[in-house]
DNA sequence: CATACTGTAATTATTTTTATTACAGTACAA
DNA sequence: TTGTACTGTAATAAAAATAATTACAGTATG
């Protein structure tokens, strides 16, 4: 996952947790993350789909956490943004070679296991705990 | 890590382990992985730098494992190819925002922890064990 | 109705990743 | 000593992934 989406989502959620009584606009968030507001809106759209964020349209609108930070696990954020396996992708090897024929099956299984380890590890950290570090 | 390098390296090492008495040519390996031989040579060059593979130039040359498969841990392969953190990269946030100012520090620490966890998990799997699955 | 927002699509730009080509250098073996 | 079969590596091009930007319709508020 050679991208910045996890960082962006955690940043957004941290802001929302820090100012949990207000609806924050995408412009405000974009100013903090230092990216274009459209990027933030797209990321928020994804976080909404994953039930981590709620938002309100129109004047005075913006986003807020869907639940208290203590109820949001970092594994949920990870799952919201993850697109590929931790260990990467596979080739399309030659099926006429005994190794090529089976390697993806064995790799996939390793990939799944490794992804699950990461999820497990992140599942014991809440957004609340992460946000506490900023004090 | 949205690439195929871990898969390619594991595939190479699996072939070398399976035919451990021969020097395998990059052409042969490329045929099994189903990529260009130059890609294989580049990956092998990296595996050599990480002391996982030895190779011999000239006619009859090729590559072989630097050590028995039982002495090669998958964490070593991972470290040989890893380029970015498991959880991805960071933004360059606004330092004038309290969250923006510190978020990378906290993210980095989380990134390190997560990477280490993955390494730890992969360190208990040897190439030998992986290769056994092909039987 | 003006204003301040979201939601989303379309487009472009940038960066990363992969594939391809080429060729100098090395070692074996006839 | 020369042909052959390799490695090593650089250069380039192609493809794919990622990020940035622009634009604008739709929505809620006062």
């Amino acid at each position: 996952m050679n991208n910045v989406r996890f960082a962006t989502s955690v940043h957004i959620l941290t802001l929302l947790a820090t100012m949990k009584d207000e609806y924050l606009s995408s412009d405000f968030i974009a100013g903090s993350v230092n990216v274009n507001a459209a990027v933030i809106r797209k990321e928020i759209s994804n976080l909404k789909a994953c039930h981590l964020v709620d938002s309100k349209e129109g004047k005075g609108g913006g986003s807020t956490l869907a639940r208290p930070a203590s109820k949001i696990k970092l594994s949920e954020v990870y799952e919201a943004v993850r697109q590929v396996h931790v260990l990467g992708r596979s080739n399309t090897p030659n099926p006429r070679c005994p190794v090529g024929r089976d390697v993806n099956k064995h790799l996939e299984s390793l990939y799944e296991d490794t992804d699950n380890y990461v999820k497990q590890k992140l599942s014991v950290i809440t957004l609340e705990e992460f946000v506490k570090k900023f004090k």
Side-chain angles (χ1 to χ4, degrees), chain A residues 12-128:
Chain A
I12 292 169
L13 293 169
T14 299
L15 287 170
L16 297 182
T18 304
M19 307 169 81
K20 68 183 162 70
D21 302 320
E22 308 172 49
Y23 278 80
L24 303 187
S25 76
S26 57
D27 266 326
F28 174 82
I29 297 172
S32 173
V33 180
N34 191 27
V35 297
N36 196 286
V39 172
I40 297 296
R41 291 202 283 271
K42 196 150 55 174
E43 205 56 56
I44 283 178
S45 157
N46 180 56
L47 292 170
K48 277 173 64 179
C50 299
H51 309 292
L52 296 173
V53 162
D54 280 337
S55 65
K56 210 165 63 173
E57 287 190 24
K59 189 173 178 178
S63 300
T64 189
L65 289 183
R67 306 173 240 149
S70 60
K71 301 286 185 200
I72 293 178
K73 300 184 280 186
L74 293 195
S75 55
E76 295 179 89
V77 185
Y78 171 66
E79 298 200 59
V81 301
R82 107 176 214 1
Q83 307 188 100
V84 295
H85 295 294
V86 162
L87 297 179
R89 303 199 310 271
S90 295
N91 289 295
T92 52
N94 183 350
R96 303 195 45 185
C97 164
V99 169
R101 187 178 55 226
D102 291 341
V103 71
N104 279 1
K105 183 173 65 194
H106 302 317
L107 278 175
E108 266 308 313
S109 149
L110 180 64
Y111 288 176
E112 294 289 339
D113 290 349
T114 308
D115 288 353
N116 284 331
Y117 293 141
V118 170
K119 284 182 210 166
Q120 257 176 51
K121 167 91 178 162
L122 293 178
S123 71
V124 301
I125 310 175
T126 65
L127 178 61
E128 186 179 41

